[in-house]
Amino acid sequence: MRLGLSSLFGLTLLVPPALAQDITLRLPVACEIGRSCFIQHYVDRDPSPSVSDYQCGTLTYEGHDGTDIRVPTMAAQKAGVDVVAAADGKVLRTRDGVEDVSLTGRGRDSVANTECGNGAVVDHGNGWEAQYCHLAKGRIKVKSGDTLKAGDRIGQVGLSGMTEFPHLHFTLRKDGKPVDPFAYGAPEKSCGGGKSLWENSLQQTLAYQGGSVLNKGFASGPVTMEAIESGATEQETPTTRSPALVAFVRAIGLKGGDVQTLTLFDPDGKPLAQNKAPPLDRDKAQWMAFSGVKQPQGGFRPGLYRAIYRVERDGKPAIEQAFGISLRP
């Protein structure tokens, strides 16, 4: 009987090829998932014209080959949110100079051949490669040939290329083929299979969410999607003398049939206003809801006003967020 060196010395020197080729990823955006950034889209795991994310949900779109990590407003993007290396590697190529302009109203032809916008491609070794897309113009900090450590700054989140909102599109490839970092090795169209490639410290924060609240707050008048996106609503602080008190939310990842309710409560916990929307007619990438009242005679009472946003899906609670504001004269 022949003994290999590993058996002779009681060591395991031969590592199975599949395990030896694995990669461990850190979050490629310097943000906190669920607070300062959110996952808008996952990899589309359905090869047919239908779509499916790794949990057989609908947080993706046809042919999407990466993970979209979104910041909540343009104000946050302009303040600067770093894009960092997800693992050690070497920069293969970069592109800069593409304007940070939303695709809305311009059409896909306006970004032909620059769909990724400003970005970088990084070789992470052992056949692993990552593409970092939609970076901000003039903020790329690396060049071809640079050696990176995990966490090193590559650039900042932008709005360049084929996108309608500020985010990083992160595509991971193994031997030239896109893979899903949430479900590596899972069969197509499977639900919850495969292996997560994210580092252990991220497993809980990256747990799948079937929809999230992207923005929430209070305003003193009508709220528009544009005001939320620009960050203008965050600059306003209602008082007891405001013409109205309006609670608002913007949610992402809603599904057809979802029933949304947004209720505003006074300092005594009594409902002041409620907006219960009819069931959604189809899946929605994002949706805004608001509920409010005009200023009563003599102004609003000082105190803590609360709002609760609930989403019911298939008869069960799917999302719930509570938030409040203290009104002062």
Side-chain angles (χ1 to χ4, degrees):
M1 176 179 179
R2 294 184 62 188
L3 293 177
L5 288 177
S6 59
S7 298
L8 183 62
F9 291 102
L11 300 174
T12 303
L13 299 180
L14 299 178
V15 181
L19 295 179
Q21 294 175 352
D22 281 354
I23 188 174
T24 300
L25 303 172
R26 65 170 295 161
L27 194 68
V29 181
C31 62
E32 185 179 354
I33 293 290
R35 290 186 179 271
S36 57
C37 62
F38 301 80
I39 295 180
Q40 177 83 50
H41 298 122
Y42 296 91
V43 173
D44 177 16
R45 302 191 55 81
D46 191 331
S48 76
S50 298
V51 301
S52 176
D53 59 39
Y54 79 104
Q55 290 287 1
C56 290
T58 57
L59 297 180
T60 186
Y61 57 87
E62 171 61 20
H64 192 244
D65 68 354
T67 303
D68 289 346
I69 303 173
R70 174 179 187 163
V71 296
T73 64
M74 284 300 302
Q77 184 272 319
K78 290 176 181 177
V81 180
D82 286 346
V83 171
V84 300
D88 297 352
K90 183 177 181 179
V91 180
L92 296 180
R93 55 189 179 274
T94 65
R95 178 168 59 206
D96 202 346
V98 181
E99 295 293 333
D100 288 288
V101 181
S102 171
L103 187 67
T104 303
R106 296 194 300 140
R108 291 173 175 252
D109 291 345
S110 65
V111 293
N113 301 317
T114 59
E115 288 86 353
C116 177
N118 305 311
V121 177
V122 178
D123 180 357
H124 291 299
N126 293 320
W128 292 101
E129 178 182 288
Q131 187 169 6
Y132 303 74
C133 293
H134 309 314
L135 275 59
K137 179 183 177 182
R139 299 187 191 177
I140 293 181
K141 301 301 180 182
V142 298
K143 62 183 183 303
S144 298
D146 283 356
T147 299
L148 301 175
K149 290 292 186 181
D152 284 353
R153 183 181 175 188
I154 293 174
Q156 292 190 328
V157 172
L159 194 69
S160 61
M162 194 168 68
T163 178
E164 297 178 343
F165 54 89
H167 73 283
L168 170 72
H169 173 94
F170 176 77
T171 295
L172 182 68
R173 300 185 181 94
K174 180 70 172 75
D175 299 327
K177 297 180 179 180
V179 300
D180 187 346
F182 288 87
Y184 177 54
E188 291 179 338
K189 302 178 70 172
S190 61
C191 299
K195 173 185 177 181
S196 171
L197 299 178
W198 302 106
E199 61 185 25
N200 289 337
S201 63
L202 292 174
Q203 296 298 321
Q204 184 173 352
T205 57
L206 289 177
Y208 185 82
Q209 300 290 327
S212 303
V213 173
L214 187 65
N215 309 95
K216 61 184 182 291
F218 295 88
S220 59
V223 179
T224 65
M225 189 73 82
E226 292 75 18
I228 296 175
E229 181 63 48
S230 69
T233 53
E234 297 179 354
Q235 307 303 313
E236 185 180 12
T237 303
T239 71
T240 57
R241 292 297 178 180
S242 294
L245 180 63
V246 179
F248 68 88
V249 296
R250 177 168 59 159
I252 58 176
L254 299 179
K255 300 188 68 173
D258 282 356
V259 177
Q260 304 171 82
T261 305
L262 178 59
T263 309
L264 175 65
F265 298 90
D266 70 11
D268 296 327
K270 297 178 180 179
L272 278 178
Q274 185 179 81
N275 178 1
K276 185 170 184 178
L280 291 177
D281 60 339
R282 56 188 174 84
D283 296 348
K284 303 287 184 180
Q286 63 178 10
W287 191 259
M288 179 189 74
F290 58 87
S291 179
V293 291
K294 294 181 179 179
Q295 181 197 114
Q297 186 174 4
F300 291 101
R301 280 194 298 147
L304 177 63
Y305 291 75
R306 296 185 307 115
I308 298 178
Y309 172 69
R310 291 190 175 96
V311 176
E312 187 178 273
R313 180 174 299 162
D314 299 325
K316 300 178 181 179
I319 303 173
E320 181 169 319
Q321 282 269 322
F323 50 104
I325 185 173
S326 292
L327 291 190
R328 296 181 174 86

